[in-house]
Amino acid sequence: MQARALLHPRSPGSVPGRALPPRRPIVYAALRGILRPVFRVYFRMRGEGLEHLPQDGPFLVAPNHVSMLDWAHLAYFLPRSVRFVIDQEMLERLPIRVGCAINGMIAVRTDRPDVRGLRLARAALAGGIPLVVFPEGQISRTGRPQRARPGVISLAAHCQVPIVPAALRGAFAAFPRWQRVPRPRPVTVVFGAPLPPPPRRIPRAGQQELADRLMAHITALLDGTVPPPAPRGIDAA
C-alpha cells in the first residue's frame, strides 16, 4: 500500500511529517450508515460499557480477536473515527483489504520487528487519533483468548495513552476463520474501564507480564466474570 499524507498539518488530529495510510472518511461514514441497520438485524448487535470510551484524546482499544469482522463489530460502537492496527498478512483477505482502503488501517509485520509500522502507530496517537490494537496479533482458532504480545504495552507506554480493554462475545460463533459466509448469530461488544498508561520505561519482560495481565482482564470481560485487579504498573498514576 502506498502511503501518503492525508490530513492538513494544521487540522485537528494531523500528524506533521508522517505519512499515514490514506483514509476515505466520506465513504466510511456512508458505509457505516448503510451497514449499521444490517448488522443490527443480522448480528443483533449489543454494546456494553460504552460509557468507558474516552470522549477526546488518543487511546488504545485492546480487544480479543476471533474473526475477520472484528473491526466492523467494533466500529459499530465506536462513536469516534479510529484507526486499526492489523497484521500485514491480513491484507490478503478481501474484507480486510476493503476496510484498509476505507479506514486507512495501519498494517504491521508481526513476524519480525517493524520499525515503520510502529512509527506510524505512534504518529497516529501523537496526532490525537485513537487506535484499535489486537493484543494477540492473530485470529484465534478456538474462539478463546490467546497469549498477548507485548507490543500493545510498549505502544501505550511510549505514547502514554490509556488502554480500553474490550471483548467480542458471539463473534466467533458468527464468523470463525474457516467460515466463508457470516452466520446470523448475536454479537455483543463489551468495553471495560480505561486502564491508565503503563510506566514510560519498562523492560521487555515487564511488558510481557503486563500484556498477560491485560489479556486476563479481557478474558474476564469475555466470560462475564469479575475482572482481576488492574495489571500492576498499568494502574500506576
Side-chain angles (χ1 to χ4, degrees):
M1 179 194 309
Q2 184 178 4
R4 60 183 174 83
L6 174 70
L7 298 170
H8 189 282
R10 294 184 180 179
S11 64
S14 63
V15 185
R18 300 294 187 184
L20 290 172
R23 67 193 313 179
R24 295 166 176 80
I26 295 178
V27 177
Y28 176 82
L31 283 178
R32 190 170 186 266
I34 294 172
L35 292 178
R36 276 179 62 86
V38 176
F39 271 51
R40 184 181 302 118
V41 174
Y42 197 79
F43 296 114
R44 287 172 277 171
M45 298 295 296
R46 182 181 174 191
E48 297 179 8
L50 301 180
E51 69 277 7
H52 295 316
L53 292 170
Q55 296 301 308
D56 51 38
F59 61 92
L60 294 177
V61 176
N64 60 318
H65 201 6
V66 293
S67 85
M68 288 186 293
L69 282 180
D70 288 346
W71 65 275
H73 292 313
L74 289 159
Y76 182 97
F77 291 107
L78 294 173
R80 299 173 57 191
S81 181
V82 304
R83 293 210 183 204
F84 292 78
V85 178
I86 62 169
D87 186 343
Q88 180 77 32
E89 294 184 358
M90 294 299 294
L91 293 180
E92 299 175 1
R93 303 174 183 269
L94 181 59
I96 301 300
R97 287 205 306 272
V98 172
C100 192
I102 295 172
N103 182 259
M105 296 178 179
I106 299 173
V108 300
R109 298 187 65 99
T110 58
D111 58 341
R112 66 186 185 192
D114 187 347
V115 176
R116 178 183 176 279
L118 181 59
R119 286 177 177 172
L120 288 176
R122 290 176 175 177
L125 291 171
I129 302 172
L131 295 179
V132 176
V133 180
F134 296 98
E136 299 155 283
Q138 59 184 346
I139 296 176
S140 171
R141 294 181 178 274
T142 65
R144 295 302 302 168
Q146 308 166 96
R147 192 179 193 194
R149 299 179 181 182
V152 63
I153 300 298
S154 175
L155 184 60
H158 182 275
C159 298
Q160 286 297 283
V161 296
I163 301 174
V164 177
L168 294 121
R169 299 177 186 165
F172 182 75
F175 198 27
R177 59 187 303 163
W178 60 82
Q179 191 80 15
R180 293 192 175 185
V181 179
R183 296 178 289 196
R185 301 289 189 274
V187 174
T188 299
V189 182
V190 185
F191 298 96
L195 303 173
R200 186 179 297 274
R201 296 182 180 276
I202 181 172
R204 180 79 174 184
Q207 291 176 10
Q208 183 60 64
E209 179 183 358
L210 293 186
D212 291 340
R213 296 186 180 186
L214 171 62
M215 208 66 215
H217 200 93
I218 295 171
T219 300
L221 293 176
L222 179 65
D223 295 338
T225 58
V226 178
R232 184 180 179 184
I234 289 184
D235 61 342

